[in-house]
């Protein structure tokens, strides 16, 4: 190893990436590649975990048993996604507990969408349809990410996400063809979640400082704007089909390009939420921190029980 | 590792009888029994398995990727281990 210099290792590394050979945990990788992945995968993990909160808010108030069972299963899946991802972070040498503590101290970020409140049952529909829909757009290309453990986690996640989007859309369909009040609920949820969903893809390409290097490393396969466009093109016709209106006066279909053109996104709002000033930032992080603190006795009790069991076995 | 942190376990799942256990990922658990219980919830929520193995990650001894070339080279150079290396005269079947 000693006689091979770093630039030679980097050249060989990029050669593997270019040939679509996956990078595995013990393979040599540039430090920046490792740090980029640790940041991205842990943010993704935190998003799955914090993402349980807005929906968890409605589990006890689901309108019937079927909806309740579905929502419970969906939220449980999100917990699973968080766990697959924390395992992936650990393969990069990051410490799981420190990673989680970074979330609790406000040092680490998570998807800004989860800092919006869920004020009506229709929000469960809008989240499944739009938020999981946007997550799928982001995650499908990540199944081909150059880092093996992340790519494999994404394959599992994507298989599970498709039910998430469908159950949300089903709620919207039901409400949209219900009473005028129910339809109004669905429209209101769409109004509140549409723009934050578009922001989920991150800043415009011109503003996105990590994109170029991530594309070169095949961590990212598409830019933020490309993914956002794919989402808009897929979602607008779905809204039309169920008689709901996308809350964008400037939205129009361009016959020539075959794409929808959206109005301007309020990036000031986005950055405010990212900075911690969204409607629920404090509440979300406080809830997670409290969950860890209040749950610490479970960690300790399980350790004590495991120690007792080990003694009994060796006796 | 602090005392409070649970150890890391590698999880292997047999998806159906007749197939071998396959690595699916890892998780944290206080002991082996708990690792299997947690693996049930984390990795088999949709009937992905009929059997689970849990191996503590620190017990996995792995080959060194930087030595992979010299470790596997001997098998790369022995093409005569493959049936395609041999000429079979026309008219011979079932061989
Ligand atoms: Fe998820
Ligand atoms: Fe996700
Ligand atoms: Fe989801």
């Amino acid at each position: 190893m000693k006689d091979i210099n770093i630039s030679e290792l980097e050249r060989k590394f990029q050669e593997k990436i270019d040939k679509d050979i996956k990078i595995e945990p013990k393979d040599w990788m540039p430090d920046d590649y490792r740090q980029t992945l640790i940041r991205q995968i842990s943010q993704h993990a935190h998003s799955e975990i914090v993402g349980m909160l807005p929906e968890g808010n409605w589990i006890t108030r689901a309108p019937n048993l079927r909806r309740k069972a579905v929502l419970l299963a969906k939220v449980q899946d999100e917990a699973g996604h968080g766990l697959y991802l924390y395992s992936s972070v650990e393969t990069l040498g990051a410490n799981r507990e420190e990673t989680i503590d970074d979330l609790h101290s406000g040092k680490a970020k998570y998807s800004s969408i989860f800092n919006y409140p869920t004020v009506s049952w229709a929000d469960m529909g809008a989240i499944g349809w739009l938020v999981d829909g946007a997550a799928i757009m982001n995650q499908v290309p990540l199944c081909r990410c150059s880092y093996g453990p992340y790519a494999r986690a994404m394959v599992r996640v994507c298989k599970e996400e498709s039910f998430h989007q469908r159950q949300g859309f089903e709620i919207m369909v039901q409400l949209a063809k219900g009473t005028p009040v129910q339809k109004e609920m669905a429209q209101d949820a769409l109004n509140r979640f549409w723009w934050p969903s578009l922001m989920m893809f991150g800043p415009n390409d011109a503003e996105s400082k990590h994109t170029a290097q991530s594309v070169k490393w095949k961590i990212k396969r598409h830019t933020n704007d490309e993914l956002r466009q794919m989402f808009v093109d897929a979602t607008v016709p779905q809204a039309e089909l169920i008689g709901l209106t996308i809350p964008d006066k400037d939205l129009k279909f361009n016959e020539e390009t075959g794409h929808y053109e959206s109005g301007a996104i309020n990036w000031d709002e986005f950055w405010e939420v990212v900075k911690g000033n969204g409607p629920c930032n404090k509440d979300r992080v406080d809830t997670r921190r409290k969950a860890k603190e209040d749950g610490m006795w479970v960690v300790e009790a399980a350790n004590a029980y495991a120690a007792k069991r080990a003694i009994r076995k060796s006796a | 590792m602090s005392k409070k942190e649970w150890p890391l376990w590698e999880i292997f799942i047999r998806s159906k009888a007749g197939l071998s256990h396959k690595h699916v990922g890892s998780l944290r658990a206080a002991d082996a029994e708990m690792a299997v219980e947690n693996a049930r919830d984390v990795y088999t929520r949709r009937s992905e398995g009929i059997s689970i193995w849990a191996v503590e990650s620190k017990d996995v001894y792995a080959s060194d990727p930087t030595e992979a070339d010299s470790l596997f080279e001997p098998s790369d150079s022995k093409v005569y281990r493959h049936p395609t290396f041999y000429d079979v005269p026309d008219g011979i079947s079932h061989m």
Side-chain angles (χ1 to χ4, degrees):
Chain A
M1 272 288 283
K2 258 180 274 150
D3 46 349
I4 306 175
N5 60 37
I6 292 288
S7 64
E8 176 61 9
L9 285 169
E10 271 173 359
R11 195 190 56 77
K12 282 195 169 152
F13 175 83
Q14 190 60 48
E15 211 174 85
K16 272 171 85 175
I17 302 265
D18 294 342
K19 281 195 222 154
D20 275 326
I21 297 172
K22 297 278 183 214
I23 308 302
E24 293 296 342
K26 291 186 142 198
D27 294 345
W28 186 88
M29 60 186 88
D31 206 45
D32 285 349
Y33 178 83
R34 186 186 299 277
Q35 295 313 324
T36 300
L37 280 170
I38 290 176
R39 192 188 62 239
Q40 179 172 336
I41 303 173
S42 60
Q43 278 182 13
H44 193 163
H46 300 329
S47 303
E48 303 286 351
I49 298 298
V50 176
M52 291 193 283
L53 300 175
E55 291 180 296
N57 183 33
W58 282 90
I59 290 175
T60 57
R61 292 176 289 162
N64 59 46
L65 194 56
R66 178 182 182 272
R67 296 284 183 210
K68 183 172 180 161
V70 168
L71 187 58
L72 204 52
K74 198 249 184 206
V75 172
Q76 193 189 5
D77 272 353
E78 306 301 1
H81 298 173
L83 293 175
Y84 310 153
L85 290 163
Y86 284 128
S87 309
S88 304
V89 178
E90 283 198 279
T91 64
L92 291 157
N95 176 289
R96 182 183 298 219
E97 290 309 313
E98 281 172 22
T99 304
I100 292 169
D101 290 339
D102 283 348
L103 169 70
H104 297 173
S105 72
K107 194 177 145 201
K109 301 285 176 225
Y110 55 89
S111 183
S112 55
I113 189 84
F114 300 118
N115 292 313
Y116 291 86
T118 45
V119 298
S120 88
W121 169 252
D123 293 0
M124 299 303 97
I127 288 182
W129 174 34
L130 303 173
V131 176
D132 288 80
I136 291 170
M137 283 294 171
N138 262 323
Q139 289 168 348
V140 167
L142 287 172
C143 295
R144 295 189 299 129
C145 162
S146 60
Y147 187 58
Y150 192 27
R152 292 191 286 276
M154 281 302 108
V155 170
R156 291 187 67 88
V157 166
C158 287
K159 270 189 202 152
E160 302 182 349
E161 288 291 356
S162 51
F163 123 69
H164 297 181
Q165 193 184 20
R166 284 186 185 197
Q167 64 84 35
F169 192 61
E170 190 191 72
I171 292 171
M172 294 304 264
V173 171
Q174 207 80 45
L175 290 172
K177 67 180 183 199
T179 65
V181 174
Q182 287 173 324
K183 186 169 182 181
E184 181 46 42
M185 269 172 72
Q187 182 63 53
D188 173 60
L190 171 58
N191 292 348
R192 282 179 291 107
F193 279 95
W194 175 253
W195 291 104
S197 299
L198 295 193
M199 294 175 201
M200 279 177 72
F201 296 95
N204 286 131
D205 293 350
E207 313 289 323
S208 175
K209 50 182 176 175
H210 304 299
T211 296
Q213 184 59 67
S214 285
V215 169
K216 189 169 172 235
W217 278 333
K218 294 189 182 166
I219 293 172
K220 261 182 126 151
R221 298 274 181 166
H222 303 281
T223 69
N224 296 352
D225 288 333
E226 285 167 3
L227 290 164
R228 188 166 16 243
Q229 185 64 53
M230 284 157 73
F231 175 76
V232 171
D233 287 340
T235 312
V236 174
Q238 294 166 356
E240 280 169 4
L241 196 81
I242 60 174
L244 297 181
T245 311
I246 301 285
D248 177 357
K249 287 186 290 302
D250 301 320
L251 183 74
K252 55 175 183 292
F253 187 71
N254 183 327
E255 296 281 352
E256 257 164 57
T257 60
H259 293 295
Y260 285 93
E261 287 165 8
S262 312
I265 292 173
N266 180 355
W267 290 112
D268 292 342
E269 174 183 325
F270 173 77
W271 290 116
E272 274 307 302
V273 179
V274 169
K275 270 188 260 164
N277 303 325
C280 300
N281 294 61
K282 188 178 176 312
D283 187 54
R284 300 295 186 231
V285 174
D286 284 351
T287 305
R288 288 312 311 159
R289 197 188 302 119
K290 189 172 182 306
K292 182 167 178 177
E293 284 163 9
D294 292 356
M296 223 47 213
W297 71 271
V298 179
V299 176
E300 285 162 29
N303 275 338
Y305 183 62
K308 222 163 86 179
R309 197 146 55 175
I311 293 168
R312 219 181 304 138
K313 255 193 220 154
S314 64
Chain B
M1 186 179 63
S2 83
K3 260 225 110 198
K4 279 183 183 169
E5 217 167 320
W6 293 339
L8 191 65
W9 300 81
E10 298 303 319
I11 304 301
F12 300 79
I13 308 261
R14 186 199 296 286
S15 56
K16 60 177 189 183
L19 296 179
S20 40
H21 287 76
K22 197 178 158 217
H23 185 245
V24 291
S26 56
L27 50 74
R28 295 239 167 220
D31 65 7
E33 279 92 341
M34 189 183 181
V36 167
E37 284 159 14
N38 288 358
R40 197 276 312 259
D41 292 339
V42 178
Y43 292 108
T44 66
R45 285 193 304 282
R46 287 173 176 77
S47 331
E48 289 98 333
I50 56 158
S51 164
I52 297 168
W53 285 354
V55 179
E56 207 177 325
S57 308
K58 70 171 171 50
D59 294 330
V60 175
Y61 184 80
S63 62
D64 179 350
T66 62
E67 318 249 279
D69 287 351
S70 55
L71 192 61
F72 299 108
E73 187 280 329
S75 78
D76 288 345
S77 60
K78 292 174 181 63
V79 284
Y80 45 85
R81 284 178 172 167
H82 299 275
T84 46
F85 177 74
Y86 301 91
D87 287 328
V88 177
D90 288 345
I92 299 289
S93 53
H94 304 297
M95 186 181 278

